Amino acid sequence: MRYFYTVLLVGLSICLQTQTTKEDILFTVDKAPVYASEFIRIYNKNLELVQDESQKDVDAYLELFINYKLKLKEARDLEFDKKPSYIRELSNYKKQLAKNYLTDNKVTDALVSEAYDRTINEVKASHILIKIPEDASPQDTLVAYNQMLQLRESVINVGFEAVKKDVHNGKSIFAEGLGYFSCFKMVYDFENVAYNTNVGDVSMPFRTQFGYHIVKVFDKRKSRGTVTVAHIMVSNQQKDSLQDAPEIRINDIYKKLSQGEDFESLAKQFSDDKSSSNKGGKLVPFSGGQLSSSEFEDVAFSLNNIGDVSQPFKTNFGWHIIKLYNKEPVESFEVLKPELEVKVKRDSRSKLINNALVSILKERYDVSDDQEALPYFVSILNDDYFKRAWTLPADFETEKPLINIGNKQLTYKDFGDFLVNGQRRATTKKSFDKLVSESYNTFLNNSLVQYQEDNLESESEDFAYIVDEYRDGLLLFDLMESKIWNAAKTDSVGLQKFYGNNKENYVLNERVDAMVASSVKQNTIKKVSKLIEEGNTQKEIKEVINSDDKVDVIFTSGIMDANHQALPKGFKFQVGISEIYNYNDAYVVVNVKEVLPRKLKTFDEAKGRVISDFQVYKEKALLDDLKSKYQVTVNQEVLAKVKSQILNQ
């Protein structure tokens, strides 16, 4: 037993000794350290992208990494990182990237899951709305709430339709049937109540930005997905008094369909829906609750097989016949998740995400909701604020501390300036207490998020890694553009000299000017070969062999080298008609008009490849220069640890 533990401890000791630490320096460039942890992280990150096994060799990858660091050292010594264009692009990227981190992922994920659940389930409801302004007085708000309580009792006792007839005026009170709807079709507060109210129940009064509502839920069902249909419509509003009644006309059209006439053609001739008739009646795909006619939707979704045509039916718009083009169920959560996440962040749900983030940041930076200074700011406001003419008083204490966020001190001036600038957004008059309270909450929330964004590199290791990679990538791009790519494009003398020293690399191999005929039928190719021998042109041969509805031979013509896909492997380059080859599961015959000998390419013919090769040459010369300019020292002991760690991971 003692022997077992001894062996175990020795093995563990060896294992620990082969693990690198964050402080292990793998190599230095001009005495600047490069840590083993960075090398291992980037090696592992790029490992999945590497197809060539040789590129997984640690020594080979280390050489590439050293070259990379040499270029970055040169770019910084040339002060490319101080260029305004570099600073601007890096700043824009950091701001864009930060958006992915300035959120509460748990809340976002929960809202996305909820949104999917509501996407696959639909609610049928009606509502009553009493409109009141968002800034209504407490007295007016209470009156509206009590009135809505009475309307709720009436809906429960006598039914929605009866109440609708009595109260709907289209101005201050609205009573409407909403049909079926799903996620994102209503404001979030309304959607929440509708989905959380049981079928047959009437909700308690609730408030949105429009006023007070109650909702009566009539039904809930699984979403029917999306459907694509075409329709022929005969309008109820016939302008021609001599024309048949809509029902007679739609039935006549239906008889023509039953006789085998084309649906799309009939739609173009007779449909009164001018927005779709010229497309054969085809409509854009729609889901349940998207159209203003539930009758139309019900018939469309009742069709099951592509090409099915409905019988004539009536809606408020007229008479219709529908043809089914496509029917798709709601896609899976995995497919819809990215789209739903975008919608959630754009929807009023985003307030929940922002509020959750702010709560986290308040706790992280130990920021209290209490602010003793607010009464002072209330006292210095006056009615000039709503005239956009208010200024901070002359004795305003600009440097007085207001609040600390992390290591940042915000002063009275910071919030005072925020209030001054807020005049531009002041649309409705409100009490100074409410104005200051709302403004401070916005100011604090913005300040918390801005502080997190400014400090993300120190707070988020993942964010810091990505920014570092982009920062280095920009520097590398600027160096390569300045020293390699632009030089290769503009150094005409250098290009010509490089071409002259390497002409043997730019050669046109032996080629043929030929016509290749291909067919799956050997007898056809024999016939083609004979027609070629008789002097027939490609066009004449196609007219003999092919027909309007059948193609038996296909030709490929032009200048071709031995690797051309149309030429059989091992094809002998000689003028004349070749033997018949069995090649690529077909039969081919080749008519060689001319054999073009191997020759050197001119500079113009080879220019594209010359530029590419010249860039490689310039990059190698640059690296040789940098290796002479900056001393690189590799710590072999740490390198051995790195190799062992990579091997055992």
Side-chain angles (χ1 to χ4, degrees):
M1 181 64 72
R2 182 181 297 173
Y3 173 78
F4 170 77
Y5 281 115
T6 302
V7 171
L8 179 64
L9 289 171
V10 169
L12 181 60
S13 173
I14 292 171
C15 180
L16 290 173
Q17 289 171 14
T18 60
Q19 294 291 309
T20 61
T21 67
K22 284 191 175 182
E23 291 75 31
D24 281 340
I25 297 172
L26 179 58
F27 62 91
T28 58
V29 177
D30 206 30
K31 297 184 179 179
V34 177
Y35 295 96
S37 56
E38 181 188 0
F39 175 80
I40 292 171
R41 178 175 57 81
I42 294 177
Y43 176 89
N44 287 333
K45 180 178 179 181
N46 294 328
L47 196 60
E48 295 178 0
L49 305 176
V50 171
Q51 300 296 325
D52 187 350
E53 285 295 323
S54 65
Q55 293 180 349
K56 297 180 181 180
D57 178 75
V58 175
D59 289 318
Y61 198 85
L62 177 61
E63 184 178 354
L64 292 174
F65 196 63
I66 289 172
N67 292 344
Y68 172 69
K69 288 295 184 179
L70 283 167
K71 291 174 185 175
L72 291 177
K73 171 66 175 170
E74 176 72 354
R76 290 191 176 94
D77 281 1
L78 293 172
E79 297 189 341
F80 284 179
D81 54 337
K82 296 180 181 177
K83 290 167 54 180
S85 59
Y86 169 86
I87 294 170
R88 184 171 55 252
E89 185 166 352
L90 180 60
S91 175
N92 290 340
Y93 177 78
K94 285 175 67 176
K95 190 169 287 293
Q96 189 64 33
L97 179 64
K99 291 179 181 178
N100 298 321
Y101 293 82
L102 303 177
T103 186
D104 185 319
N105 291 328
K106 288 183 179 178
V107 174
T108 303
D109 290 345
L111 288 170
V112 170
S113 295
E114 177 189 77
Y116 182 74
D117 184 63
R118 293 179 181 180
T119 298
I120 61 176
N121 293 284
E122 298 174 344
V123 176
K124 183 180 182 182
S126 296
H127 83 126
I128 297 175
L129 163 67
I130 297 177
K131 290 188 69 175
I132 55 170
E134 286 190 77
D135 59 346
S137 68
Q139 294 83 357
D140 291 341
T141 301
L142 183 60
V143 168
Y145 180 80
N146 287 330
Q147 185 181 0
M148 189 58 84
L149 279 176
Q150 294 173 2
L151 290 174
R152 179 178 183 271
E153 287 300 314
S154 297
V155 170
I156 292 171
N157 293 326
V158 301
F160 178 83
E161 289 300 325
V163 176
K164 175 182 175 181
K165 290 178 183 177
D166 287 341
V167 303
H168 177 80
N169 59 29
K171 294 178 181 178
S172 59
I173 301 180
F174 294 79
E176 302 167 303
L178 302 171
Y180 284 95
F181 59 88
S182 61
C183 197
F184 302 111
K185 297 296 192 298
M186 307 292 174
V187 295
Y188 184 58
D189 291 339
F190 189 100
E191 177 192 301
N192 258 343
V193 174
Y195 273 92
N196 291 320
T197 300
N198 294 326
V199 173
D201 287 352
V202 180
S203 74
M204 290 296 292
F206 64 96
R207 188 158 183 186
T208 71
Q209 65 260 45
F210 306 108
Y212 272 108
H213 308 255
I214 55 171
V215 171
K216 179 173 174 63
V217 174
F218 293 94
D219 189 25
K220 293 182 181 180
R221 70 184 183 194
K222 289 292 180 183
S223 171
R224 297 183 290 186
T226 59
V227 68
T228 306
V229 301
H231 80 134
I232 299 171
M233 182 181 87
V234 176
S235 172
N236 285 331
Q237 309 297 323
Q238 294 293 345
K239 296 179 181 178
D240 188 344
S241 60
L242 298 178
Q243 192 161 284
D244 291 329
E247 185 175 3
I248 294 173
R249 185 171 176 81
I250 198 74
N251 281 311
D252 285 346
I253 296 170
Y254 186 70
K255 287 176 185 176
K256 292 174 79 68
L257 281 168
S258 301
Q259 292 162 196
E261 293 198 29
D262 183 67
F263 185 99
E264 289 75 13
S265 175
L266 291 172
K268 290 176 182 178
Q269 295 176 66
F270 303 117
S271 180
D272 289 332
D273 179 7
K274 300 308 177 188
S275 64
S276 67
S277 60
N278 63 343
K279 305 169 192 169
K282 193 170 183 181
L283 304 172
V284 296
F286 57 86
S287 56
Q290 195 169 338
L291 302 186
S292 55
S293 171
S294 59
E295 297 90 351
F296 191 97
E297 286 184 357
D298 288 342
V299 174
F301 280 103
S302 72
L303 300 174
N304 294 315
N305 302 309
I306 305 304
D308 281 357
V309 174
S310 74
Q311 292 186 347
F313 66 95
K314 190 178 182 181
T315 70
N316 291 335
F317 302 98
W319 286 83
H320 311 260
I321 305 170
I322 291 178
K323 177 180 177 180
L324 180 63
Y325 274 86
N326 192 29
K327 200 172 184 180
E328 295 284 349
V330 178
E331 293 182 292
S332 68
F333 177 72
E334 288 71 23
V335 172
L336 284 183
K337 184 179 179 182
E339 178 186 336
L340 292 174
E341 190 167 330
V342 170
K343 287 183 176 180
V344 160
K345 289 179 178 179
R346 288 178 180 170
D347 187 60
S348 55
R349 291 166 171 81
S350 62
K351 291 181 181 178
L352 297 176
I353 301 171
N354 295 338
N355 291 341
L357 174 63
V358 166
S359 296
I360 291 170
L361 297 181
K362 283 179 179 177
E363 184 176 348
R364 180 183 301 171
Y365 303 131
D366 193 23
V367 174
S368 170
D369 286 324
D370 297 330
Q371 180 49 257
E372 296 177 356
L374 295 191
Y376 167 73
F377 285 96
V378 172
S379 72
I380 64 175
L381 283 173
N382 56 52
D383 285 341
D384 285 347
Y385 193 90
F386 301 106
K387 301 173 186 176
R388 297 175 176 82
W390 180 75
T391 58
L392 294 170
D395 60 349
F396 183 74
E397 299 180 67
T398 57
E399 299 306 316
K400 189 172 181 179
L402 180 71
I403 193 167
N404 274 313
I405 300 177
N407 57 15
K408 184 175 183 179
Q409 176 67 65
L410 296 173
T411 65
Y412 273 40
K413 184 177 187 304
D414 293 316
F415 183 48
D417 289 343
F418 185 82
L419 281 173
V420 170
N421 293 330
Q423 292 177 99
R424 297 193 297 267
R425 300 183 294 273
T427 54
T428 56
K429 197 168 183 180
K430 60 183 72 173
S431 72
F432 293 140
D433 282 324
K434 187 174 183 181
L435 190 154
V436 169
S437 176
E438 290 177 353
S439 297
Y440 178 74
N441 284 336
T442 304
F443 168 77
L444 178 59
N445 294 355
N446 292 350
S447 299
L448 284 164
V449 173
Q450 187 61 55
Y451 183 83
Q452 187 197 18
E453 182 177 342
D454 293 341
N455 292 274
L456 261 178
E457 283 191 74
S458 61
E459 292 187 5
S460 170
E461 191 176 68
D462 183 50
F463 179 83
Y465 284 153
I466 296 171
V467 170
D468 276 343
E469 288 172 10
Y470 193 80
R471 181 185 286 116
D472 291 348
L474 282 178
L475 284 175
L476 191 62
F477 179 89
D478 283 352
L479 179 74
M480 295 296 288
E481 184 177 52
S482 172
K483 297 290 185 180
I484 308 297
W485 302 328
N486 285 345
K489 292 176 185 175
T490 58
D491 186 4
S492 56
V493 174
L495 276 175
Q496 289 282 359
K497 183 179 179 181
F498 181 80
Y499 166 74
N501 292 335
N502 298 276
K503 280 185 177 181
E504 67 280 0
N505 295 331
Y506 308 108
V507 176
L508 283 170
N509 291 319
E510 187 179 35
R511 294 150 297 140
V512 290
D513 182 0
M515 176 181 72
V516 182
S518 174
S519 175
V520 294
K521 299 177 181 177
Q522 187 174 18
N523 288 337
T524 297
I525 284 300
K526 286 180 179 179
K527 189 173 181 181
V528 169
S529 180
K530 186 174 181 181
L531 289 169
I532 294 172
E533 191 176 351
E534 291 172 356
N536 289 280
T537 65
Q538 179 177 310
K539 182 180 178 182
E540 290 168 339
I541 296 171
K542 287 170 73 175
E543 288 175 352
V544 172
I545 302 296
N546 297 335
S547 61
D548 290 339
D549 59 352
K550 193 173 184 182
V551 175
D552 278 334
V553 65
I554 291 178
F555 290 92
T556 305
S557 301
I559 307 297
M560 311 174 193
D561 64 16
N563 294 319
H564 194 283
Q565 69 182 84
L567 293 177
K569 302 304 178 188
F571 176 72
K572 295 178 181 179
F573 282 20
Q574 57 187 31
V575 174
I577 303 170
S578 73
E579 61 182 280
I580 293 174
Y581 291 83
N582 187 345
Y583 175 60
N584 282 346
D585 299 323
Y587 295 94
V588 299
V589 65
V590 184
N591 183 21
V592 177
K593 300 175 186 176
E594 182 182 2
V595 177
L596 305 173
R598 184 179 186 274
K599 71 161 190 171
L600 291 175
K601 289 182 180 179
T602 66
F603 175 78
D604 287 337
E605 289 173 331
K607 189 173 181 180
R609 189 179 160 197
V610 171
I611 290 174
S612 177
D613 291 348
F614 187 56
Q615 288 175 348
V616 173
Y617 164 77
K618 293 282 287 183
E619 184 175 0
K620 184 178 182 303
L622 173 65
L623 283 169
D624 289 341
D625 180 56
L626 296 181
K627 287 173 183 176
S628 300
K629 185 176 180 180
Y630 304 116
Q631 183 180 1
V632 175
T633 304
V634 178
N635 187 324
Q636 295 298 329
E637 184 180 340
V638 173
L639 177 58
K641 282 187 185 181
V642 167
K643 289 180 177 179
S644 177
Q645 186 169 329
I646 288 174
L647 182 65
N648 294 316
Q649 65 187 2

